[in-house]
């Protein structure tokens, strides 16, 4: 997810709202589960998204609106699909997918008809897929018994120059996102651990590496690029089934803290993309 590293009053409001979302745990809440308390923040975020002259502020506002999951922000996010900046359009589409409000479907389809940028089109496609999965009829899956057990490898193949923190971030995001699937379990009872063949579960091991994480500085700004690869193996045999990969680019300021934040957001965005691809695979396997 692109990082916002601007300044000014509008950015201060956006940063404060992001702090509220993280502290209260709203980023992990189901869509439209946010309590009424942050509603004023949604209004402030929409004001920034619709009117701030700094595209970085608009990007960050869209990111936070998606994390809040409050459907009162859908209207301004739909307007942002026509923002002159492609990053704002892409992140607005991503946020609409996170919120899961059905009325965003037609604007997202309309965007796909006119959009030329690959990143924006990819985010609109993913948002539409998320809306479809959340539609009535897909909700019955919430009551089904878990059919797939997921284990996660250590992601230790990442180059030393990149560092273990990057691999851990990808590991944690994948575990968090895939663990949300109602037909997936991340734990086994003692009996199933002892004799997995009789558990009735399909088992998969998810592992991977960060293959790229670098910064390109130009003038007073910097662009962080990252690529992440994940592999799916049978569990417990660990026989390889497939690979998938994802990448992202994030613009930021040139200060060390700016670059650190941009690296975090780049890796998180890539891991979320991987989780979406892996979700499709798991669903094809009955999950």
């Amino acid at each position: 997810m692109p990082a916002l590293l601007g300044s000014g009053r509008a950015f201060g409001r956006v940063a404060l709202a992001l702090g509220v979302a993280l502290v209260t745990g709203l980023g992990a809440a189901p869509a439209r589960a946010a309590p009424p308390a942050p509603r004023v923040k949604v209004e402030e975020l929409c004001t920034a998204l619709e009117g701030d002259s700094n595209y970085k502020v608009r990007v960050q506002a869209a990111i936070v609106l998606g994390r809040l999951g409050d459907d009162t922000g859908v209207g301004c996010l739909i307007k942002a699909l026509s923002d002159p900046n492609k990053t704002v359009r892409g992140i607005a589409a991503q946020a609409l997918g996170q919120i899961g409000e059905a009325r965003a479907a037609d604007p997202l389809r309309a965007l796909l008809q006119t959009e030329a940028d690959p990143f924006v089109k990819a985010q609109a496609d993913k948002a539409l897929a998320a809306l479809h999965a959340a539609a009535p009829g897909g909700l019955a899956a919430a009551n089904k018994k878990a059919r797939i057990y997921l284990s996660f490898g250590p992601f230790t193949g990442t180059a030393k120059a990149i560092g273990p923190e990057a691999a851990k971030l990808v590991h944690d995001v994948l575990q968090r996102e895939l663990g949300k699937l109602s037909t997936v379990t991340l734990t086994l009872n003692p009996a199933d651990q002892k004799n997995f063949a009789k558990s009735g579960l399909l088992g998969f091991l998810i592992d991977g590496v960060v293959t790229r994480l670098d910064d390109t500085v130009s003038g007073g700004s910097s662009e962080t690029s990252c690529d992440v690869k994940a592999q799916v193996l049978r569990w417990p045999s660990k026989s390889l089934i497939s690979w998938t990969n994802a990448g992202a680019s994030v613009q930021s300021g040139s200060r060390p803290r700016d670059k650190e934040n941009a690296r975090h957001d780049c890796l998180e965005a890539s891991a979320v993309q991987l989780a979406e691809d892996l979700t499709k695979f798991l669903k094809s396997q009955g999950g």
Side-chain angles (χ1 to χ4, degrees):
M1 300 177 185
L4 171 67
L5 300 155
S7 60
R9 186 172 300 174
F11 172 67
R13 291 197 299 269
V14 173
L16 175 60
L18 177 57
V20 171
L22 294 178
V23 170
T24 60
L26 294 177
R32 292 173 285 176
R39 189 63 57 87
V40 175
K41 296 301 178 185
V42 171
E43 293 173 359
E44 292 180 359
L45 289 165
C46 282
T47 298
L49 179 58
E50 293 176 352
D52 199 282
S53 61
N54 187 336
Y55 86 92
K56 295 180 180 180
V57 174
R58 303 198 301 276
V59 166
Q60 188 67 66
I63 290 173
V64 179
L65 285 167
R67 289 179 177 174
L68 285 174
D70 190 325
D71 60 8
T72 58
V74 169
C76 64
L77 285 167
I78 289 175
K79 291 180 182 178
L81 295 178
S82 58
D83 192 280
N85 182 274
K86 64 183 181 181
T87 305
V88 176
R89 296 196 301 274
I91 297 304
Q94 181 185 82
L96 288 168
Q98 291 174 314
I99 294 173
E101 173 59 50
R103 62 190 165 106
D106 286 342
L108 286 166
R109 293 189 190 100
L111 176 65
L112 286 172
Q113 297 300 315
T114 59
E115 183 60 54
D117 183 76
F119 169 74
V120 180
K121 294 184 74 171
Q123 296 309 312
D125 272 328
K126 291 174 182 177
L128 281 170
L131 291 177
H132 178 74
L139 301 179
N143 298 320
K144 293 180 180 178
K145 181 176 182 286
R147 296 191 299 271
I148 291 177
Y149 166 66
L150 286 186
S151 178
F152 290 84
F155 284 70
T156 53
T158 298
K160 291 182 178 179
I162 295 176
E165 298 84 3
K168 184 179 185 304
L169 173 60
V170 174
H171 168 281
D172 291 349
V173 172
L174 285 177
Q175 190 174 62
R176 180 193 73 208
E177 295 300 314
L178 296 177
K180 295 177 182 178
L181 297 175
S182 60
T183 50
V184 165
T185 181
L186 305 181
T187 59
L188 291 175
N189 61 47
D192 290 340
Q193 286 179 338
K194 191 173 183 179
N195 194 343
F196 184 75
K198 293 184 178 181
S199 68
L201 296 169
L202 290 172
F204 298 103
L205 171 67
I206 309 296
D207 205 349
V209 295
V210 179
T211 56
R212 180 189 181 194
L213 182 60
D214 53 41
D215 308 299
T216 302
V217 179
S218 178
S221 64
S222 175
E223 181 172 276
T224 297
S225 299
C226 60
D227 292 296
V228 181
K229 183 182 287 187
Q231 59 180 345
V232 182
L233 306 95
R234 291 286 181 191
W235 193 93
S237 67
K238 296 185 180 181
S239 56
L240 180 64
I241 299 174
S242 66
W243 283 93
T244 185
N245 62 280
S249 294
V250 177
Q251 294 179 327
S252 73
S254 59
R255 297 175 302 175
R257 184 177 178 182
D258 295 348
K259 293 181 182 178
E260 181 181 348
N261 290 337
R263 287 186 167 210
H264 180 282
D265 290 344
C266 189
L267 290 168
E268 183 173 12
S270 298
V272 169
Q273 290 181 52
L274 285 179
E276 292 171 351
D277 291 342
L278 292 169
T279 295
K280 293 177 183 178
F281 166 79
L282 294 173
K283 288 182 176 179
S284 74
Q285 301 297 308

